[in-house]
Amino acid sequence: ETGVTQSPTHLIKTRGQQVTLRCSSQSGHNTVSWYQQALGQGPQFIFQYYREEENGRGNFPPRFSGLQFPNYSSELNVNALELDDSALYLCASSLGQPGLYEQYFGPGTRLTVT
Amino acid sequence: RKEVEQDPGPFNVPEGATVAFNCTYSNSASQSFFWYRQDCRKEPKLLMSVYSSGNEDGRFTAQLNRASQYISLLIRDSKLSDSATYLCVVSDAGGTSYGKLTFGQGTILTVHP
């Protein structure tokens, strides 16, 4: 176990709805990154938070937004859900810059949009 | 062109076989390189980092060629438990970069008895 937890485990939403996914990082980790993994693909970087500030973003539209809290836990919010948003959403925490510090992934939230 | 490209696979090999995975990356600013392993419906887990001098961890050997922007993973004496998806990962960490990880699409390995 990595110590990174995510909730909920599974979620089914309807197109157009909004969803909030939650991530609790490993103790002491101040950096959280979110990834989207579509079926049969590798994870795609959504954004990264460091000490409550977004400090990097991948090629995702503004309807994907996030927050990081003082305890370094994090949320991913997706508005106006589309069918293509169906995927496994992974969060990963690290002591610092991913690549310089190992990232530890949570088990993911599997989102289905119908 | 994708930033990180891997062999399409899938690979189906018998126990005891040696199998090699290849990966190329397009961003010459990439600084760190990794292989991750992902079991079915589970999260990715770091298998090993990859260094320019090459590195070995038991049955696993990773190589990096910066000039060719090429990464490889060799698995010797395959075990049933090696069955998984192997993800090639690069990072531009360092300097002012925030160091995102860029994943390849993954290669599925199945080891059969």
Side-chain angles (χ1 to χ4, degrees):
Chain A
E1 297 295 326
T2 64
V4 180
T5 60
Q6 291 187 243
S7 63
T9 305
H10 297 87
L11 200 54
I12 299 175
K13 288 286 190 178
T14 303
R15 190 170 51 182
Q17 287 187 315
Q18 178 267 342
V19 69
T20 297
L21 310 182
R22 295 178 176 82
C23 172
S24 177
S25 59
Q26 188 165 329
S27 178
H29 286 190
N30 56 23
T31 303
V32 174
S33 302
W34 285 91
Y35 296 84
Q36 179 195 67
Q37 187 174 23
L39 198 61
Q41 300 296 317
Q44 297 294 309
F45 175 76
I46 303 174
F47 43 56
Q48 180 184 117
Y49 280 84
Y50 172 69
R51 294 187 176 181
E52 302 178 60
E53 298 282 336
E54 182 184 298
N55 73 332
R57 189 177 183 92
N59 189 26
F60 280 81
R63 58 189 186 84
F64 285 78
S65 63
L67 283 173
Q68 187 180 31
F69 300 100
N71 66 355
Y72 301 138
S73 65
S74 179
E75 285 183 357
L76 164 66
N77 299 290
V78 187
N79 294 321
L81 284 166
E82 301 177 359
L83 296 179
D84 285 349
D85 295 335
S86 295
L88 179 68
Y89 288 85
L90 296 158
C91 80
S93 72
S94 59
L95 283 170
Q97 275 188 342
L100 296 182
Y101 295 89
E102 183 175 349
Q103 277 198 321
Y104 295 86
F105 284 83
T109 293
R110 192 164 298 278
L111 173 65
T112 302
V113 182
T114 61
Chain B
R1 181 185 173 189
K2 291 185 179 179
E3 288 187 62
V4 179
E5 296 205 57
Q6 297 184 234
D7 281 346
F11 287 69
N12 290 285
V13 303
E15 277 186 287
T18 296
V19 61
F21 301 140
N22 301 314
C23 169
T24 57
Y25 61 95
S26 61
N27 184 0
S28 59
S30 298
Q31 297 291 328
S32 306
F33 309 89
F34 311 92
W35 284 100
Y36 274 72
R37 171 196 168 123
Q38 186 171 26
D39 294 309
C40 187
R41 303 183 77 81
K42 299 282 191 179
E43 71 273 20
K45 292 185 179 178
L46 179 64
L47 178 65
M48 59 195 303
S49 300
V50 188
Y51 305 113
S52 296
S53 55
N55 49 297
E56 190 172 305
D57 182 2
R59 298 181 293 109
F60 299 84
T61 300
Q63 296 278 350
L64 167 65
N65 184 320
R66 284 185 181 268
S68 302
Q69 297 183 197
Y70 169 88
I71 307 163
S72 66
L73 176 68
L74 185 75
I75 305 176
R76 292 181 301 277
D77 189 23
S78 298
K79 311 291 185 190
L80 296 176
S81 57
D82 293 334
S83 298
T85 297
Y86 289 83
L87 296 157
C88 177
V89 185
V90 305
S91 171
D92 57 357
T96 59
S97 168
Y98 56 87
K100 70 173 185 177
L101 298 185
T102 302
F103 288 77
Q105 73 268 36
T107 302
I108 297 173
L109 171 66
T110 302
V111 182
H112 56 81

